[in-house]
Amino acid sequence: MHNRHRLAIPAALAALSLALTACGSKSTDATAPASPTTATTAAAPTTNPLTGLPMTSPEQSHPVYIVKVDNTQASDPQIGLGSADLITEELVEGGLCRLATFFYDKLPEKVGPVRSMRLTDIGIAKPVGATIITSGAAPVTLNGLHKAGITFLDMNNPNVVRVSDGQHDSLHSVMANVSKIGSEAKAKPARPADYLPFGDQALPSGKKATSIESRVGGSCTDHWSYQGGHYVLTNGFMAKGDQFNPDTVITATVTTSTAPYRDPAGNPVPVSHFEGSGKAMIFHGGQVVKATWEKADPGAPISFKDAQGNELQIPPGHTWLELVPGKGTFSAGSVTFTK
């Protein structure tokens, strides 16, 4: 919210104003309520830039947070995802996937298992100026994020710690208290622009698609089922009662390259470039609309167009966005669906 500053009124002008008021009305009450014709109109409710839905609390005193969450069997159970506003899935080394879980409206006290960042996260986080919560990163990644102006919090923060809960091994035991981090935020950034082009314009009619299989990596294939107006990840690792069941699933084909380092096991590290353009599929309401996506640079907003070149709006709600490898140095993924 922008602060409004009152303008100082010169004494002579103030006196003249009072005199005119006295001549025009018998009332001498300077604090009399304004007439209905001068009453201000209430501001429209603030919407969540990650969902397009009304905010639970219109004013936030913290930035958007992205928690990097493991998405392998070792992460079972994933904690806190049910409170996320939006989730993006990206390819990491070994054909595995990792999640960038976005939080803005509700900040849970425990999210994890928290894992490390990748250069891919620049294009994911920059459009909303998000602060990334992570267990760490390789020096190349840290340098790249620093140059891109991405803020992050790692295990040097007392709210990103290992938790011995008996459910995860040591590597997958790092948890983040996002609620505490948000309450200690020093800056109050302005509301960012919408992450997706949300709007009330209905998507064009598409093919029926109630079952989706999306392969992001050789060891990462998501199975989605459309149930009761939402999409359910049937082979995910989210804790029972804490699931993220999106209203919309979007797959965006991206170009990949190889980062200039390898992971500790010697695997090449992929970079998914969330910029440029590519094919997309928008799954909503049990149907699929084929489209193209465009994003001018890592920090730019994303837009979608149908086959005729018409701009598409994304229905307000929770969204799962998958960055599916296309052209590049890593094997291309795939997206299939059935009725």
Side-chain angles (χ1 to χ4, degrees), residues 9-338:
I9 302 176
L13 181 59
L16 177 60
S17 176
L18 289 174
L20 291 174
T21 301
C23 293
S25 172
K26 294 182 179 180
S27 173
T28 57
D29 185 359
T31 61
S35 65
T37 57
T38 60
T40 56
T41 303
T46 302
T47 58
N48 187 332
L50 304 176
T51 66
L53 299 172
M55 293 283 291
T56 301
S57 301
E59 291 192 37
Q60 297 294 4
S61 58
H62 57 76
V64 170
Y65 292 111
I66 292 177
V67 183
K68 294 304 303 294
V69 175
D70 187 86
N71 196 36
T72 67
Q73 183 67 48
S75 68
D76 191 1
Q78 294 165 332
I79 299 170
L81 273 60
S83 297
D85 294 308
L86 179 147
I87 293 179
T88 297
E89 186 170 18
E90 64 188 273
L91 177 69
V92 293
E93 56 276 11
L96 301 173
C97 290
R98 193 154 295 173
L99 305 179
T101 56
F102 289 69
F103 298 91
Y104 188 61
D105 194 6
K106 299 177 182 178
L107 305 184
E109 295 182 354
K110 187 177 182 181
V111 180
V114 181
R115 296 300 306 277
S116 56
M117 300 179 291
R118 297 292 182 272
L119 289 171
T120 300
D121 296 322
I122 295 173
I124 293 175
K126 196 164 185 177
V128 287
T131 294
I132 302 177
I133 299 174
T134 176
S135 61
V140 170
T141 300
L142 293 175
N143 185 49
L145 269 69
H146 176 71
K147 287 183 177 180
I150 304 297
T151 301
F152 66 89
L153 301 173
D154 57 18
M155 294 182 68
N156 289 311
N157 186 289
N159 299 304
V160 185
V161 298
R162 295 192 186 279
V163 176
S164 299
D165 57 10
Q167 296 178 297
H168 303 92
D169 59 33
S170 178
L171 180 62
H172 300 84
S173 66
V174 179
M175 300 290 166
N177 187 333
V178 187
S179 177
K180 188 72 171 177
I181 290 172
S183 69
E184 296 177 354
K186 296 180 181 179
K188 184 179 180 180
R191 177 196 183 278
D194 285 349
Y195 196 80
L196 297 170
F198 298 114
D200 296 327
Q201 177 183 318
L203 289 167
S205 179
K207 292 184 178 180
K208 188 173 182 180
T210 58
S211 180
I212 311 164
E213 183 174 286
S214 177
R215 186 174 69 86
V216 177
S219 301
C220 177
T221 299
D222 291 342
H223 299 281
W224 292 97
S225 175
Y226 183 66
Q227 302 176 16
H230 303 279
Y231 291 87
V232 177
L233 186 60
T234 59
N235 64 332
F237 308 110
M238 291 174 273
K240 186 177 181 180
D242 195 14
Q243 291 99 341
F244 181 85
N245 296 326
D247 304 284
T248 305
V249 173
I250 300 175
T251 62
T253 302
V254 296
T255 300
T256 61
S257 65
T258 305
Y261 71 97
R262 289 178 177 263
D263 76 352
N267 295 309
V269 178
V271 180
S272 294
H273 297 275
F274 195 25
E275 59 183 291
S277 61
K279 294 181 179 180
M281 292 189 188
I282 303 172
F283 296 89
H284 181 82
Q287 298 188 60
V288 59
V289 175
K290 294 184 178 181
T292 57
W293 66 269
E294 186 172 348
K295 195 165 175 280
D297 57 66
I302 189 172
S303 62
F304 298 92
K305 292 182 180 180
D306 64 14
Q308 288 72 44
N310 300 311
E311 296 280 350
L312 297 175
Q313 294 183 343
I314 304 302
H318 295 84
T319 303
W320 185 293
L321 173 62
E322 299 188 353
L323 304 185
V324 180
K327 295 180 180 180
T329 56
F330 288 82
S331 298
S334 62
V335 182
T336 59
F337 59 88
T338 59

